[in-house]
Amino acid sequence: MKRILKYFRIRSKMVTTLVKERVQYPVRLFADSVTVIIRCGILLLLYSYVFKLNHGVINGTTFLFTSWSILFYFLFATTQLKYISRKMMEDVQSGGLEMILTKPISYISYRGWSQFGFGLYSFIVAIAFSVPALWLTVGIPPTMHLAIFIPTLIMTTLLGGMIYVFIYSLVGLCAFWVEDINPIFWIIDKSVMILGGSYLPIALFPSFLYKLAMYSPFGASLFVTHTMYPSWEGEWHRMIIIQVVWIIILGAALYAVYQLAKKKVSVNGG
């Protein structure tokens, strides 16, 4: 128990330090937050017009549910967790990885918590401005009044975040074998964006694409975009189980690849 408490105490200090560091650059923080909010706002205006042209209903859903799904995706994007892969590539290319590996801390854990701390403040700022704005302009779906909504929203966000970090960490570890991981990053990132419901909301997917989003790790990482739809009340159990299964699979894969990467460092004398 003491080891667990010590673990979270160290990580909380790391996150707090990175948040304080992030606050020291308000211009960059403001630019990052505003960019995401503007992109989200433009997309919402576009879909608002499209729904009006279709008498307010597309594929059995309304703009009310779709707007919140889009917002949740963009809020998740403000965490910038996906850039953990590029940080790993920079560590390998600069040689900074060798310094980190000598410390009594897991490199994957260190990078994950660092990235979480880096994006946390932007995430909080984006929530503070965008959620009230959408609430006042569009309203809130009935699903959000359910007793299970907040607990399941938190749970699926945390589990999805773990899947997200595992996916992009696997991409980052490719830097041990591939000099430039950006092409791999782009392919994986676009898969996550499409199946996560970035620019085409989940409710508007055709049947085959919806199933792919449901059962692939790319879609499972962003189940938070499903939480406001009426189907969530009956499907949240299944979706959380899917997330847990992918965490186990990806976690095992990440551990195996990381062990191979460490051996490569040792073989090369790093």
Side-chain angles (χ1 to χ4, degrees):
M1 187 65 181
K2 289 182 178 179
R3 292 183 65 183
I4 296 174
L5 291 174
K6 183 180 179 180
Y7 174 87
F8 282 105
R9 194 180 301 118
I10 293 173
R11 270 52 179 187
S12 64
K13 287 182 180 179
M14 182 190 302
V15 171
T16 302
T17 301
L18 285 164
V19 169
K20 290 180 179 178
E21 181 182 333
R22 187 83 161 125
V23 175
Q24 297 301 315
Y25 301 93
V27 175
R28 182 177 178 180
L29 175 63
F30 177 78
D32 290 344
S33 301
V34 168
T35 299
V36 172
I37 291 173
I38 289 176
R39 287 170 59 193
C40 181
I42 292 173
L43 193 62
L44 288 174
L45 288 173
L46 176 62
Y47 271 107
S48 175
Y49 181 71
V50 170
F51 271 90
K52 287 179 180 178
L53 292 177
N54 288 271
H55 309 290
V57 179
I58 300 176
N59 204 21
T61 192
T62 64
F63 179 67
L64 175 63
F65 297 104
T66 301
S67 61
W68 282 95
S69 177
I70 293 171
L71 177 64
F72 280 13
Y73 171 83
F74 277 95
L75 288 176
F76 193 92
T78 60
T79 62
Q80 301 187 46
L81 291 174
K82 66 181 180 180
Y83 294 118
I84 186 175
S85 57
R86 289 181 176 171
K87 288 293 184 181
M88 288 181 172
M89 181 177 68
E90 291 173 6
D91 289 339
V92 174
Q93 292 177 344
S94 66
L97 172 70
E98 298 168 12
M99 297 295 295
I100 300 173
L101 290 178
T102 60
K103 298 178 181 179
I105 183 175
S106 167
Y107 173 67
I108 301 296
S109 175
Y110 166 76
R111 266 286 150 239
W113 283 99
S114 296
Q115 201 62 33
F116 173 73
F118 182 79
L120 182 59
Y121 196 75
S122 297
F123 179 66
I124 294 172
V125 170
I127 288 177
F129 284 97
S130 60
V131 170
L134 193 62
W135 189 340
L136 292 173
T137 55
V138 178
I140 59 173
T143 323
M144 292 187 177
H145 295 292
L146 297 174
I148 64 163
F149 178 74
I150 297 297
T152 56
L153 174 66
I154 295 173
M155 188 180 302
T156 197
T157 301
L158 293 176
L159 294 175
M162 289 181 66
I163 296 173
Y164 208 73
V165 169
F166 287 177
I167 290 173
Y168 286 100
S169 293
L170 284 168
V171 174
L173 289 178
C174 291
F176 284 88
W177 294 274
V178 181
E179 184 176 351
D180 184 3
I181 66 164
N182 281 315
I184 302 172
F185 175 85
W186 293 328
I187 293 170
I188 298 298
D189 191 46
K190 293 303 179 287
S191 299
V192 172
M193 288 176 63
I194 293 170
L195 297 176
S198 57
Y199 296 105
L200 180 64
I202 299 295
L204 306 185
F205 279 11
S207 179
F208 80 95
L209 193 58
Y210 182 84
K211 290 179 180 178
L212 187 59
M214 180 70 71
Y215 295 106
S216 71
F218 309 122
S221 67
L222 284 160
F223 275 171
V224 65
T225 59
H226 294 247
T227 55
M228 72 297 303
Y229 290 113
S231 60
W232 180 249
E233 187 176 8
E235 292 188 345
W236 68 269
H237 312 81
R238 181 162 61 102
M239 291 188 181
I240 287 178
I241 290 173
I242 291 172
Q243 286 184 313
V244 172
V245 169
W246 276 117
I247 285 173
I248 294 171
I249 294 172
L250 292 172
L254 184 60
Y255 176 81
V257 174
Y258 180 54
Q259 295 306 312
L260 291 174
K262 287 200 297 183
K263 287 181 180 178
K264 184 173 178 62
V265 173
S266 299
V267 169
N268 291 336

